[in-house]
Amino acid sequence: MDITEFVELSLGQWRSQRSAHNLAFSHFEQVISTIDIVSLSPEDPAVIALCESHHIEPKLAIHPFQMTWEGESDWEEGEIIKGSTILVPISDPNDPTKGKLLRDQGYAETIPAVGNYHFNEEGTFILLTPYDRAMAEERIWFASPNLRFRVSLIKTSGGTGVVTASFASEIRSLNKE
Amino acid sequence: MDITEFVELSLGQWRSQRSAHNLAFSHFEQVISTIDIVSLSPEDPAVIALCESHHIEPKLAIHPFQMTWEGESDWEEGEIIKGSTILVPISDPNDPTKGKLLRDQGYAETIPAVGNYHFNEEGTFILLTPYDRAMAEERIWFASPNLRFRVSLIKTSGGTGVVTASFASEIRSLNKE
């Protein structure tokens, strides 16, 4: 698996069923959302601006994409959670199984972030993103072309303690409404 | 990672927070339980009987153990889910990273079962257990000695469709009450 194949497999609309576990309090959160993943042109001004803000040559960008989500959590009755982020993979020139992932809005904190990704021998995408006060570890793998799973851990900044663990089952929406 | 090290790490009492996703109906189930994992002697009559029922030499058993659980699901208000099973690993004589796992009570169906396990390069324990009408895939990994995660998939017997996906965060109970 490499980043090009992974992004290609991820393109489309997904129905996501996510459970988050707050480990200190044994709380559960349930989120149902729709996720849209679309390809962006490497010449898209937002992609170029994101590369330049990280002092990276825009021509090193591989298969940039945009992720948009809209959903509801059982913690915020009736409130819609929505957002969108641009993601730009920068593959390691010496090793196609790893690289950096730039994003204009992070997962644990809503600020620009840079993560390090790699693929393990099973083709699981593993992304580690350091933030000021936290560290996010994300693992995404495909059970089939139309079903993927995502485990996300939010750790303390030292990376030792896990604060929140979440698991998402994501099914491709074959009939886009 | 090999099965001896994995069982050693697993011994003790765990507080498990588990979410199950029914993928066809987007239903969530939440389970809080206590899991006790204790070592059994290879000479334990129940271990010997389980090996013999599978026509396996009891002396091939490596680090047999018993798992007992007691918990509550939000689907069955007030009802206690409890059970216990004996598990006997039989390591592949040519490859310590894989083998068979015998159990006297299965996960997807409450009948004796034999699964095939292996460890991947990251030390994740992966167990595939075929049943008459289903296939169970379980992945267990340690984030630290006191925190482990478990992803379980129940698939159709052909192994193609995933019916249920569940995720458990398991924290070691340091002060056993």
Side-chain angles (χ1 to χ4, degrees), chain A residues 64-84:
Chain A
F65 58 102
Q66 180 161 31
M67 202 165 82
T68 305
W69 60 92
E70 184 167 334
E72 272 188 276
S73 159
D74 65 337
W75 276 20
E76 309 278 354
E77 201 86 23
E79 196 174 310
I80 301 296
I81 301 161
K82 57 195 284 186
S84 183

Side-chain angles (χ1 to χ4, degrees), chain A residues 15 17 26-27 30 139, chain B residues 15 17 26-27 30 122:
Chain A
R15 184 170 57 75
Q17 182 175 3
S26 297
H27 280 171
Q30 302 178 350
R139 308 172 76 84
Chain B
R15 184 170 57 75
Q17 182 174 3
S26 298
H27 281 170
Q30 303 178 350
E122 297 172 311

Side-chain angles (χ1 to χ4, degrees), chain A residues 88-110:
Chain A
V88 180
I90 309 290
S91 183
D92 185 320
N94 302 313
D95 183 349
T97 69
K98 64 185 197 179
K100 290 186 182 301
L101 184 66
L102 318 181
R103 62 172 80 187
D104 69 349
Q105 193 185 30
Y107 176 77
E109 298 176 16
T110 56

Side-chain angles (χ1 to χ4, degrees), chain B residues 113-126:
Chain B
V114 186
N116 290 295
Y117 71 81
H118 69 278
F119 291 93
N120 74 7
E121 63 181 355
E122 297 172 311
T124 297
F125 172 81
I126 300 163

Side-chain angles (χ1 to χ4, degrees), chain B residues 48-165:
Chain B
I48 291 173
L50 187 55
C51 289
E52 288 178 344
S53 74
H54 290 287
H55 311 290
I56 287 172
E57 267 295 312
K59 69 176 183 213
L60 296 174
I62 293 181
H63 219 316
F65 58 102
Q66 180 161 31
M67 202 166 82
T68 306
W69 60 92
E70 184 166 334
E72 271 188 275
S73 158
D74 67 337
W75 275 21
E76 307 280 353
E77 201 86 24
E79 196 174 311
I80 301 295
I81 300 161
K82 57 195 283 185
S84 183
T85 183
I86 289 171
L87 296 119
V88 179
I90 308 290
S91 183
D92 185 319
N94 302 313
D95 182 351
T97 70
K98 63 185 197 180
K100 289 187 184 301
L101 184 66
L102 318 181
R103 62 172 79 187
D104 69 348
Q105 192 184 30
Y107 175 77
E109 298 176 16
T110 55
I111 50 164
V114 186
N116 290 295
Y117 71 81
H118 69 278
F119 291 93
N120 74 7
E121 63 181 355
E122 297 172 311
T124 297
F125 172 81
I126 300 163
L127 176 68
L128 300 172
T129 309
Y131 293 93
D132 271 1
R133 298 182 189 176
M135 164 90 88
E137 181 186 319
E138 202 157 8
R139 309 172 75 83
I140 302 176
W141 70 99
F142 286 85
S144 75
N146 298 323
L147 176 62
R148 63 178 217 170
F149 295 110
R150 192 153 51 95
V151 169
S152 307
L153 307 180
I154 306 294
K155 301 181 175 185
T156 52
S157 53
T160 48
V162 178
V163 181
T164 307

